[in-house]
Amino acid sequence: MTDRAIEWLDGKVRILDQSKLPREQVLADLKDYGDVILAIKEMKVRGAPAVGVAAAYGMALGGLGITTTDVDEFLIQLNEVMQAFAVSRPTAVNLFRAIDRMKDCAKGDGINEIKSALVNEAKRIHQEEIAATEQVSQLGADLVKDGFTLLTHCNAGPLATAGRGTALGVIMAAKDQGKKVKVFVTETRPLLQGARLTTWELIQEGVPVTLITDSMAGYFMRRHEVDCVIVGADRIAANGDVANKIGTYSLAVLARENGIPFYVAAPVSSIDFSLSSGSEIPIEERSPEEVTHIQGVPIAPEGVKAANPAFDVTPYSYVTAIVTEKGIIRAPYGEGLMGIRLKSV
Ligand code: MRU
């Protein structure tokens, strides 16, 4: 099922609803672009590359649904569709890359031609993510030694990428190379992507998994039970600062304190070359209810104040290496990422 994260079925987008996993495996058909936006906001589809792919298909759906016969009016309405996606989730840059690409491709002699261009570009974005995450996985596997125990946070597997996965792709590729690996998975409060999704994906791959609460990571690191930490990214600034799921920064600091390598695996589509540092990355603030409740069940006194930043920024100085499909980069990140940028144009 993990390879069915997102599918384009002429005229609709089918997703594996991540909000219901692992208890229920539900394929949801999204028939118009509003359904796709809602699925992104409600995290039925989530993970930076997967959000980009879903949004691209959603914009194609939005274009197909426009009925005007006037090209200028069509482009105005298409722009409105794209604006609606732009405010769905702010942190993952893949969404904004997808919007830029869909905007650029919306050209042609007539409306039908533009509609075809939109569908083809969305399919291309998806195929490119599949290829990129495959390459990230293969390259990153070299960092993993036989017998390693890795620790990962949130979910950076096939579900999150609509491809092979990034951090989990690396782990799975290392296993495919015959290396014996084990993984600590942090549950990842508040929405439990680690407990619900990462464990589910790794179990299906036959990788030994130990689920821990977020607060247990330091305990196991200090006992020398973790050989490296590997996570994905939602946005990487040009200096190598990494925005990822809330709690990533704490893990990076703990890894440094305990002399453990801290790796980030991400496709180039997650790098935002326009931002000079992580302080410019917009951090999504989600509903306090996700903190005061677990899967709809209240766990705190009614009315208590709660904060819910969904991401944090890990400064580049804590990052041992960034694995991209164009190569593994180490400090100085400014230069390394610039090299990646030049290879990508
Ligand atoms: O809020 P989410 O679940 O979309 O956050 C996802 C993450 O933080 C992932 O680690 C990140 O998107 C990497 S995806 C390969």
Side-chain angles (χ1 to χ4, degrees), residues 4 16 25 35 64 134 157 164 174 176 226 231 270 273 276:
R4 302 195 64 185
L16 179 56
Q25 296 175 24
D35 292 343
L64 293 179
E134 182 59 44
R164 177 100 199 249
D176 290 349
V226 177
V231 295
S270 298
F273 296 103
S276 57

Side-chain angles (χ1 to χ4, degrees), residues 22-43:
R23 279 183 302 160
E24 284 178 84
Q25 296 175 24
V26 177
L27 293 169
D29 285 347
L30 312 175
K31 298 193 180 74
D32 69 51
Y33 79 93
D35 292 343
V36 181
I37 291 175
L38 205 59
I40 291 172
K41 284 185 177 164
E42 292 178 348
M43 295 179 61

Side-chain angles (χ1 to χ4, degrees), residues 18 43 45-51 89 92 94 133 153-157 160-161 165-167 188 191 193 197 231-235 243-246 248 265-267 270 284 286 310-311:
Q18 298 189 41
M43 295 179 61
V45 56
R46 50 143 297 284
V51 167
R89 290 197 77 190
N94 310 61
T133 54
H153 186 55
C154 194
N155 174 261
T161 59
T166 54
T188 319
L191 294 181
Q193 292 93 327
L197 308 175
V231 295
D234 283 77
R235 196 184 294 225
N244 192 51
K245 179 52 56 191
I246 191 78
T248 302
S270 298
E284 178 181 11
R286 294 185 61 86
F311 301 93

Side-chain angles (χ1 to χ4, degrees), residues 2-5 18 46-50 53 94 126-141 152-174 176 197-198 201-202 205 230-233 264-270 323-325:
T2 54
D3 58 358
R4 302 195 64 185
Q18 298 189 41
R46 50 143 297 284
V53 170
N94 310 61
H126 191 178
Q127 288 311 313
E128 285 175 16
E129 288 297 359
I130 292 172
T133 54
E134 182 59 44
Q135 187 65 7
V136 166
S137 305
Q138 296 304 332
L139 290 177
T152 191
H153 186 55
C154 194
N155 174 261
L159 291 168
T161 59
R164 177 100 199 249
T166 54
L168 289 201
V170 168
I171 294 170
M172 291 168 186
D176 290 349
L197 308 175
T198 300
E201 289 184 323
L202 287 174
E205 290 289 322
I230 185 158
V231 295
V264 175
V268 173
S269 60
S270 298
V323 184
T324 75
E325 71 273 28

Side-chain angles (χ1 to χ4, degrees), residues 97-213:
R97 284 201 150 214
I99 292 172
D100 288 346
R101 283 185 57 170
M102 295 299 280
K103 209 174 264 176
D104 286 350
C105 86
K107 296 184 181 94
D109 283 342
I111 290 175
N112 285 340
E113 210 170 291
I114 302 175
K115 286 182 176 177
S116 303
L118 289 167
V119 173
N120 290 337
E121 186 68 357
K123 287 181 179 169
R124 207 170 297 126
I125 290 170
H126 191 178
Q127 288 311 313
E128 285 175 16
E129 288 297 359
I130 292 172
T133 54
E134 182 59 44
Q135 187 65 7
V136 166
S137 305
Q138 296 304 332
L139 290 177
D142 287 345
L143 298 170
V144 180
K145 297 203 177 87
D146 189 24
F148 256 25
T149 298
L150 304 98
L151 185 146
T152 191
H153 186 55
C154 194
N155 174 261
L159 291 168
T161 59
R164 177 100 199 249
T166 54
L168 289 201
V170 168
I171 294 170
M172 291 168 186
K175 186 200 163 243
D176 290 349
Q177 291 175 349
K179 294 169 184 165
K180 286 206 166 32
V181 290
K182 292 188 281 187
V183 184
F184 279 116
V185 174
T186 50
E187 61 176 353
T188 319
R189 273 286 283 148
L191 294 181
L192 304 170
Q193 292 93 327
R196 295 186 302 105
L197 308 175
T198 300
T199 55
W200 187 71
E201 289 184 323
L202 287 174
I203 287 168
Q204 287 177 65
E205 290 289 322
V207 177
V209 176
T210 304
L211 174 65
I212 60 174
T213 66

Side-chain angles (χ1 to χ4, degrees), residues 48-72:
V51 167
V53 170
Y57 283 136
M59 287 178 258
L61 270 187
L64 293 179
I66 298 172
T67 52
T68 179
T69 51
D70 179 81
V71 174
D72 291 336

